[in-house]
């Protein structure tokens, strides 16, 4: 793989990883512990933050895929790249719509129990973190 493409894809992968760790595993849980933040306020903030994060993630995914495709990557790098993309796609097209529908109901005043969809999102997020780490390390070795 050409060194410039590998460096670009690696750098973008690690920036993406940092964003996911900071937002999903630091900001998201902490906002609900802040004084005065109610569930509806936290959900409203979370929707905005995750909409922005997911939009940036989609752009970063395109950059990584393009750099890997243009750089003449070895065949074994396609699997980790596809894994990260598929995990993000599952979050965006399957889980996020369910979470949005539920948060719409909570914001409308319904009192609902904790969502299982949220647990699916967290599970996919953990898998995506592992996949990003694997992809980033793989890109350092090419």
């Amino acid at each position: 793989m050409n060194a410039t493409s590998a460096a670009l894809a690696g750098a973008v992968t690690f920036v993406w990883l940092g964003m996911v760790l900071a937002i999903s595993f630091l900001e998201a849980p902490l906002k609900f512990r802040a004084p005065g933040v109610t569930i509806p306020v936290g959900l409203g903030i979370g929707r905005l933050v995750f909409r922005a994060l997911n939009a940036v993630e989609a752009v970063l995914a395109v950059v990584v895929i393009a750099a890997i495709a243009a750089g003449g990557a070895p065949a074994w790098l396609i699997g980790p790249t596809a894994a990260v993309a598929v995990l993000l796609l599952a979050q965006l097209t399957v889980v996020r719509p369910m979470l949005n529908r539920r948060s719409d109901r909570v914001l409308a005043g319904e009192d609902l129990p904790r969502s299982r969809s949220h647990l699916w999102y967290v599970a996919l997020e953990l898998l995506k973190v592992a996949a990003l780490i694997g992809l980033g390390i793989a890109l350092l070795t090419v």
Side-chain angles (χ1 to χ4, degrees), residues 5-20:
S5 294
L8 174 63
V12 171
T13 297
F14 284 115
V15 166
W16 183 359
L17 173 63
M19 291 179 71
V20 169

Side-chain angles (χ1 to χ4, degrees), residues 7 18 28 32 37 40 53 65 69 81 89 101 103 106 113 115-117 126:
F32 289 102
V37 175
L53 172 64
I65 291 166
T81 305
L89 192 61
R101 284 190 296 275
S103 64
V106 171
S115 167
R116 286 195 178 154
S117 298
L126 288 167

Side-chain angles (χ1 to χ4, degrees), residues 22-94:
I23 298 295
S24 294
F25 298 106
L26 188 61
E27 181 276 338
L30 288 177
K31 81 172 152 267
F32 289 102
R33 293 190 177 122
V37 175
T38 63
I39 296 294
V41 169
L43 285 176
I45 293 167
R47 285 173 69 154
L48 288 172
V49 169
F50 276 92
R51 186 178 307 129
L53 172 64
N54 291 153
V56 171
E57 285 186 286
V59 170
L60 296 176
V62 168
V63 171
V64 168
I65 291 166
I68 288 172
W76 58 266
L77 202 50
I78 294 170
T81 305
V84 172
V86 167
L87 289 165
L88 176 61
L89 192 61
Q91 286 179 306
L92 297 179
T93 62
V94 178

